[in-house]
Structure formats: C-alpha cells, structure tokens
Amino acid sequence: MDYFIGIDVGTSKTKSVLFDARFNQLEVASVSNRTLTPAPGHQEQQMEALWQNVVSTLKTLSASPLLTKGTLRAIGLSGQGEGAWLIDKQGQPLRDALLWSDTRAASSIRELSARDGLEDKLFELCGSRLLPCNSSLQLRWLQQHQPERLNDAQWFFFAKDWIRFRLTGRANLERTDAGTSLLDLHQGTHSDAVLSELGIENLRPLFPPLLAPHDLAGELSTAAAAATGLPAGTPVAAGALDVSACALGIGAVHDGDVFTLLGTTCCTGIVCHDLTQVSRKTRFVSHAWQGQFLNLFAMQSGTPNLDWAISHLAANRSFSELGAEISALSPGSGGVFYQPYLNGERAPFYSPVARAGFFGISQDTTNAHLLRAVFEGLAWAITDVLSDYPPGGDLYLAGGGTASPFWLQIIADCTGRRVIVSPQSEPGARGAAILAAMALGQPVSAESLQPGDRQIWHPDARSHIQYQRLFPVFRQLREQLLPVWQARDDALTQLAQDSADL
C-alpha cells in the first residue's frame, strides 16, 4: 500500500496527516503552536519551536503500523501565509518570525496610501492592496527598524518554506505563498516593480528560487530522517499556501466554486480562471490547481469570536451542548446583532481599528440571544463578502467550525446556499498530500479530488427570508460604525499619550 503525508503548518496548530493513495485521511498527529506578543500589535513565533513541533508530529506518524506495512511515497506541505521567516548564512533563524496577524506594518500604510495611484498599481501587479499582513510591508518595516538584522539574513521564507528547508536542506519559495504580495501574478515571477515602489528592491537577493506547488522540491535529508524516523530520500513537494491547499483538498477547483474555511480567519474564496473576474474589494492569489486563481476574502478574526463568546457567555460548554439552546431561538436573535471584528477587519472592508460589539440589546435579551448573535454575525460576514456574486451556488465548508451542526444550518439559512461539508477534517493537509502525489507525476483529475460521504445542509426558505430582511441592518451597522471606530481609537491613543506625559 502506498501512503502520502501532508504537513499543515498552521498558526495555532501543526498537523501531520497520513493519507492513502486515494487521499483518504488515516491518522492525524497534532501539536499546538505558541504565538508570542512581545509588544501591542506584534505577533511572532519561534522558528526552531515550530520545526520541533513538525518533528514531533512526524515521529508520531513514523511509528504508525500502517507505514510498517506500506511505502511512504512523498511528503507535501501547506502553511500559514504571509509573515516573514528569515534565516542567516548558517541556516539558523535570524529572529522570531513575524506572523500574518502582526500589525506593526500598519504605520506604513497611511504614508504609502497617500501616493497617488500606488495602491491600484500594487493590486494590478500582485493582487493585494496595502495591508499590514503583507510580507512586502513587513520586510519594509524590518528594513526601517531593524536593518542590522536584514544585513545578516541569507534567505526569506514563508512558514512552510522554512519547514521544507529543514526537511530537505534546500531553499525555495513557492508561487501561491509568494503571490500574496511579492509576485507579478500575470507573469508568475517576482515583481521588481513592487519591490521598487516599496523601497525594498535591495532585498531581492533574499528570495530563493521560485517553485510551483506541485514541483518536486527535494528529498528528506539524512538529518531530518534521523530526527523524524521517516525514510531518508523520501520526495518532498513544494506545497502551497494554506487556503490554496484547502481549496484543493475539498475539491473546489472549478470556475465559480465558493468555499469558506471556518477557522481562525474564516477565509472565503471564489475560484476564478481569469484575473478579470476578481473583485477589487479584496485580494487574489494563485490556486494550487494550475491555471486557476482564488479571489480571497480573509477576515481578520473568525472562530476566535466563538472562542470568546463560549468562554465568557457559556462557561466553555461544547458545540453539542449549546446547539439545542441556540437552535430554539428564532433567526435574528431577538434583534441583537454582533459585529465580528475582534481585531480589526481586512475583507470585505479594511479597518485596523474596527472592533467587535453587540447592537440591539434589550431587557429581554438573554445569554442565549447573545451567543446566537455571535454565530449569526459570522454567518452574515460570509454573506457580506459574497454579496457581489450570483446567489444560489453551493458553498463548500471546511475547518474546525464544521463541528457545529447548528452553525452550519445558520450559514445555509443566512447565505441561501446549499452547504457542503467534507468528511475530511484536514483539507489543508489533504491538499498538500495531493500535491505530493502530483510531484511524483501521478495523474490527478478534478473529479478524483472530491471526497466521498459529504454532508449537505439545505437552507430553510422561511429562515432565509428572515435573514434577508435583517441583513441590511448588519451591513449598515458596519458602514456607520467606521468613523465611530476611528474616533474611539483616536481617543484611546490620546489617553495613552496623556498618561505617558504625566
């Protein structure tokens, strides 16, 4: 029996997953990652600690009885996007990695956005507007504030590229990750124009050669084999950005397919075969499926809204315990609305100062109303990003949030779309395993990507009508609150300054 391993280097967890030759999930090994916050707005991870987490998960799989009776054909990778992962000339971490959630580069955006036509030019080239998560802006911040660190750097990586370097000893970037802010997506090459516009053209030598997701990137080194217990010489594929790998893993590869990953960012994507199709409200990246693009609406905060609500309002009860209580309430949570912007927002609008909040609380409001409003707020946010696209198409869902059946029904009712949930709990790792097989030359068809035993939720017609009538209120709230959020931030900034002056 042939097997493949998909490594998913996430923000909160590192997972290594064993798949059979038909990409059925067999075993999962998972370790939690630690995120550091050395200063407000700074989000970092220790690079060596992440590698050790990968080693731990691979050692678990290497002990699987399945591998003793079969052959590990190849390894693929999927990883959290953006950020800045730098190594020195000895191949060691230069500093703790900046994450996609790090917002220190926001200070550059006001200056850069004042340049006439710059943001539109960047969008045309690399598919992204000026966002603090962009690796290009994070490199610009490092050049301005820690130039001595960059002087000692040998290579710039994304998260999965760093792990692949440790697995193989070979340095490469990969198209879907690099395409978030560094490539000319029309040409599929590094964009000297983007680097020049941002004043970081001198950093071009930090970028190692570029690979496609299904390219063979190297083989498991002797040192990595000794550390993990896996066979030396095992082929390793280039891999892909997590959202691109997930889209591949759930079979969303046809033009017009829509999917949402119910995870940390609740990222929604629309598959496009042509760049003229993409919305100018957000961003686009290359799909792991060759020739396609993804129009992405990655929220700043997805399931952390649920974590906060369940912790503070429901004493950490499980999804199943909450289901009956919340499902008993009518759509609209008694007129209570929740804005799911815990840490600002980036799609379908950009505001680093936006914050979460409830609207419409009355003396009849209960904890159950507040809890349901949080689930509905995220469902409405998904509806919001899809408002410019034709209604009625299927919505593929994946991620940890699919463990909540009543939330899946709310999403179906709110969007008016049939919701399809894959039985594969690790779509990113599955996409990585598929790319590993493709790197060996194994033919993979769009039809073969579809997982079996899918679960389907149909929208309830009456509930959908109720949500349609309430959605304009949700939309108007976030539009009207934009100046209020800014005024709040200005006042808090002034208060902090006043305290510092005392």
Side-chain angles (χ1 to χ4, degrees), residues 172-244:
N172 288 102
L173 291 181
E174 174 277 323
R175 189 179 62 209
T176 60
D177 251 330
T180 52
S181 68
L182 296 171
L183 299 189
D184 180 336
L185 289 184
H186 301 271
Q187 303 297 325
T189 58
H190 288 294
S191 176
D192 291 332
V194 169
L195 302 183
S196 178
E197 291 287 353
L198 297 177
I200 56 173
E201 61 271 22
N202 59 304
L203 302 183
R204 178 68 176 80
L206 294 182
F207 304 147
L210 191 65
L211 298 176
H214 58 275
D215 281 345
L216 185 61
E219 298 178 343
L220 195 67
S221 69
T222 302
T228 62
L230 297 174
T234 302
V236 179
L241 171 68
D242 53 4
V243 290
S244 298

Side-chain angles (χ1 to χ4, degrees), residues 137-156:
L137 290 185
Q138 292 181 343
L139 285 170
R140 186 176 189 269
W141 186 93
L142 288 169
Q143 180 166 268
Q144 291 175 332
H145 298 277
Q146 297 180 5
E148 70 287 350
R149 293 291 186 91
L150 290 180
N151 290 338
D152 295 332
Q154 175 68 37
W155 297 119
F156 162 87

Side-chain angles (χ1 to χ4, degrees), residues 14-31:
T14 291
K15 300 175 184 178
S16 292
V17 187
L18 187 66
F19 296 87
D20 65 19
R22 294 186 177 182
F23 312 114
N24 295 305
Q25 183 177 309
L26 303 175
E27 293 190 24
V28 180
S30 176
V31 176

Side-chain angles (χ1 to χ4, degrees), residues 80-403:
Q80 54 172 295
E82 300 172 304
W85 303 68
L86 295 155
I87 65 170
D88 61 22
K89 294 174 176 59
Q90 287 72 48
Q92 298 301 309
L94 190 67
R95 65 178 319 281
D96 290 345
L98 277 65
L99 302 187
W100 62 270
S101 51
D102 191 289
T103 59
R104 71 188 74 184
S107 58
S108 299
I109 292 178
R110 183 172 298 180
E111 170 209 337
L112 293 170
S113 60
R115 297 186 194 174
D116 188 38
L118 174 61
E119 191 162 34
D120 288 340
K121 182 175 182 178
L122 293 176
F123 182 86
E124 291 295 338
L125 286 169
C126 65
S128 180
R129 298 197 176 278
L130 295 168
L131 297 169
C133 59
N134 291 355
S135 296
S136 55
L137 290 185
Q138 292 181 343
L139 285 170
R140 186 176 189 269
W141 186 93
L142 288 169
Q143 180 166 268
Q144 291 175 332
H145 298 277
Q146 297 180 5
E148 70 287 350
R149 293 291 186 91
L150 290 180
N151 290 338
D152 295 332
Q154 175 68 37
W155 297 119
F156 162 87
F157 291 139
F158 295 91
K160 74 170 192 326
D161 303 321
W162 157 243
I163 298 303
R164 190 178 60 247
F165 173 76
R166 293 301 301 265
L167 291 171
T168 66
R170 295 175 59 176
N172 288 102
L173 291 181
E174 174 277 323
R175 189 179 62 209
T176 60
D177 251 330
T180 52
S181 68
L182 296 171
L183 299 189
D184 180 336
L185 289 184
H186 301 271
Q187 303 297 325
T189 58
H190 288 294
S191 176
D192 291 332
V194 169
L195 302 183
S196 178
E197 291 287 353
L198 297 177
I200 56 173
E201 61 271 22
N202 59 304
L203 302 183
R204 178 68 176 80
L206 294 182
F207 304 147
L210 191 65
L211 298 176
H214 58 275
D215 281 345
L216 185 61
E219 298 178 343
L220 195 67
S221 69
T222 302
T228 62
L230 297 174
T234 302
V236 179
L241 171 68
D242 53 4
V243 290
S244 298
C246 283
L248 185 66
I250 62 178
V253 296
H254 300 97
D255 188 46
D257 280 351
V258 179
F259 66 93
T260 298
L261 309 176
L262 300 179
T264 305
T265 66
C266 271
C267 180
T268 295
I270 300 94
V271 181
C272 305
H273 72 272
D274 190 291
L275 290 179
T276 62
Q277 298 172 285
V278 302
S279 167
R280 302 188 67 84
K281 289 184 179 179
T282 177
R283 64 193 315 187
F284 57 91
V285 299
S286 295
H287 200 318
W289 191 247
Q290 193 166 4
Q292 299 281 41
F293 296 90
L294 295 176
N295 197 175
L296 291 181
F297 294 82
M299 295 172 57
Q300 190 70 17
S301 296
T303 53
N305 288 277
L306 301 182
D307 296 338
W308 176 88
I310 292 171
S311 172
H312 290 82
L313 301 174
N316 289 313
R317 282 180 288 163
S318 67
F319 279 154
S320 58
E321 291 177 296
L322 293 172
E325 180 180 1
I326 292 178
S327 298
L329 299 174
S330 299
S333 303
V336 177
F337 293 82
Y338 176 77
Q339 298 86 48
Y341 313 124
L342 280 176
N343 300 303
E345 188 52 287
R346 53 181 177 169
F349 68 96
Y350 173 70
S351 173
V353 298
R355 288 297 179 268
F358 291 100
F359 173 83
I361 293 174
S362 71
Q363 62 183 9
D364 298 319
T365 299
T366 66
N367 267 17
H369 287 108
L370 298 178
L371 283 166
R372 184 180 178 104
V374 176
F375 284 92
E376 288 180 338
L378 286 166
W380 265 326
I382 296 170
T383 305
D384 198 4
V385 303
L386 294 175
S387 59
D388 290 341
Y389 290 86
D394 290 339
L395 175 58
Y396 294 83
L397 295 182
T402 59

